[in-house]
Coordinates of all heavy atoms in Angstrom, one line a residue:
A22 N -9.2 -10.1 0.7 CA -8.7 -10.8 -0.4 C -7.8 -12.0 0.0 O -7.3 -12.8 -0.8 CB -8.0 -10.0 -1.4
V52 N 11.2 -10.7 2.0 CA 10.3 -11.7 2.5 C 9.6 -12.6 1.6 O 9.5 -13.8 1.8 CB 9.1 -10.9 3.3 CG1 8.0 -11.9 3.8 CG2 9.7 -10.1 4.5
V53 N 9.3 -12.2 0.3 CA 8.6 -13.0 -0.6 C 9.5 -14.1 -1.1 O 10.7 -14.1 -1.2 CB 8.1 -12.2 -1.9 CG1 7.0 -11.2 -1.4 CG2 9.2 -11.5 -2.6
Q54 N 8.8 -15.3 -1.3 CA 9.5 -16.5 -1.8 C 8.7 -16.9 -3.1 O 7.6 -16.6 -3.3 CB 9.2 -17.6 -0.7 CG 9.8 -17.3 0.6 CD 11.4 -17.2 0.6 OE1 12.0 -18.0 0.0 NE2 11.9 -16.2 1.2
V60 N -0.5 -9.0 -3.5 CA -1.8 -8.5 -3.8 C -1.8 -7.0 -3.6 O -1.4 -6.5 -2.5 CB -2.9 -9.1 -2.8 CG1 -4.3 -8.6 -3.2 CG2 -2.9 -10.6 -2.9
L74 N 6.3 0.5 -12.5 CA 5.4 -0.6 -12.4 C 5.9 -1.8 -13.2 O 5.8 -2.9 -12.6 CB 4.0 -0.2 -13.0 CG 3.4 1.0 -12.3 CD1 2.1 1.4 -13.0 CD2 3.1 0.6 -10.8
R84 N 11.4 -13.7 -9.7 CA 11.6 -14.5 -8.5 C 10.6 -15.5 -8.2 O 10.5 -16.1 -7.2 CB 11.8 -13.5 -7.4 CG 13.0 -12.6 -7.5 CD 13.1 -11.6 -6.3 NE 13.1 -12.3 -5.1 CZ 12.9 -11.7 -3.9 NH1 12.6 -10.4 -3.8 NH2 12.9 -12.4 -2.7
D93 N -8.9 -4.8 -11.0 CA -9.3 -5.3 -12.3 C -9.2 -6.9 -12.4 O -9.5 -7.5 -13.3 CB -8.4 -4.8 -13.5 CG -7.0 -5.0 -13.2 OD1 -6.5 -5.8 -12.4 OD2 -6.1 -4.3 -13.9
F114 N 0.7 2.6 -18.5 CA 0.7 3.8 -19.4 C -0.5 4.7 -19.0 O -0.3 5.9 -18.8 CB 0.7 3.4 -20.8 CG 0.5 4.7 -21.7 CD1 1.6 5.6 -21.8 CD2 -0.7 5.1 -22.2 CE1 1.4 6.8 -22.5 CE2 -0.9 6.2 -22.9 CZ 0.1 7.1 -23.1
G116 N -2.0 4.9 -16.2 CA -1.7 5.6 -14.9 C -0.7 6.7 -15.0 O -0.9 7.8 -14.5
R124 N -0.4 16.8 -13.6 CA 0.7 17.8 -13.4 C 0.5 18.9 -14.3 O 0.7 20.1 -14.0 CB 2.0 17.1 -13.8 CG 2.5 16.1 -12.7 CD 3.8 15.6 -13.1 NE 4.2 14.5 -12.3 CZ 5.2 13.5 -12.5 NH1 5.7 13.5 -13.7 NH2 5.4 12.7 -11.7
L131 N -1.7 27.0 -11.5 CA -0.8 27.8 -10.7 C -0.4 29.1 -11.5 O -0.2 30.2 -11.0 CB 0.5 27.0 -10.3 CG 0.2 26.0 -9.2 CD1 1.5 25.1 -9.0 CD2 -0.2 26.6 -8.0
K132 N -0.1 28.9 -12.8 CA 0.3 30.1 -13.7 C -0.9 31.1 -13.7 O -0.6 32.3 -13.6 CB 0.6 29.6 -15.1 CG 2.0 29.0 -15.2 CD 2.3 28.6 -16.7 CE 3.6 28.0 -16.8 NZ 3.9 27.5 -18.2
Q143 N 1.4 27.7 0.9 CA 0.7 27.6 2.2 C 1.2 28.9 3.0 O 2.2 29.4 2.8 CB 1.1 26.4 3.0 CG 0.6 25.1 2.3 CD 1.1 23.9 3.1 OE1 1.9 24.0 4.0 NE2 0.5 22.8 2.7
S148 N 5.6 33.0 12.3 CA 5.8 34.4 11.9 C 7.3 34.7 11.9 O 8.1 34.0 12.5 CB 5.0 35.3 12.9 OG 5.7 35.2 14.2
Y154 N 12.9 34.7 17.3 CA 12.9 34.2 18.7 C 13.7 32.8 18.7 O 14.5 32.6 19.6 CB 11.5 34.1 19.2 CG 11.4 33.6 20.6 CD1 12.1 34.2 21.7 CD2 10.6 32.5 20.9 CE1 12.0 33.7 23.0 CE2 10.5 32.0 22.2 CZ 11.2 32.6 23.2 OH 11.1 32.2 24.5
I155 N 13.3 32.0 17.8 CA 13.9 30.7 17.7 C 15.5 30.8 17.5 O 16.3 30.2 18.2 CB 13.3 29.8 16.7 CG1 11.9 29.4 17.0 CG2 14.2 28.6 16.4 CD1 11.0 28.8 16.0
Y159 N 18.5 29.7 20.1 CA 19.5 28.7 19.6 C 20.9 29.3 19.8 O 21.8 28.7 20.2 CB 19.2 28.5 18.1 CG 20.2 27.4 17.6 CD1 20.1 26.1 17.9 CD2 21.3 27.8 16.7 CE1 21.0 25.2 17.4 CE2 22.2 26.9 16.2 CZ 22.1 25.6 16.6 OH 22.9 24.7 16.0
E161 N 21.7 31.4 22.0 CA 22.0 31.5 23.4 C 22.4 30.1 24.0 O 22.6 29.9 25.1 CB 20.8 32.0 24.2 CG 20.5 33.5 24.0 CD 19.2 33.9 24.6 OE1 18.4 33.1 25.2 OE2 18.9 35.2 24.6
H163 N 20.3 27.2 23.8 CA 19.2 26.4 24.3 C 19.0 25.3 23.4 O 19.3 25.3 22.2 CB 17.9 27.2 24.3 CG 18.0 28.3 25.4 ND1 17.8 28.0 26.7 CD2 18.0 29.7 25.3 CE1 17.8 29.2 27.4 NE2 18.0 30.1 26.6
S176 N 2.5 29.6 20.8 CA 1.5 29.3 19.8 C 0.1 29.0 20.4 O -0.9 29.5 19.9 CB 1.9 28.1 18.9 OG 3.1 28.3 18.3
Q181 N -5.3 31.4 21.5 CA -6.4 31.8 22.4 C -6.6 33.3 22.5 O -7.4 33.7 23.3 CB -6.0 31.3 23.8 CG -5.9 29.8 23.9 CD -5.2 29.3 25.2 OE1 -4.8 30.1 26.0 NE2 -5.1 28.0 25.4

Side-chain angles (χ1 to χ4, degrees):
V52 171
V53 293
Q54 301 293 316
V60 182
L74 300 172
R84 296 179 55 197
D93 55 19
F114 174 74
R124 286 180 189 162
L131 290 173
K132 281 183 182 177
Q143 295 180 352
S148 66
Y154 179 57
I155 290 167
Y159 184 76
E161 290 174 356
H163 293 286
S176 297
Q181 294 169 355

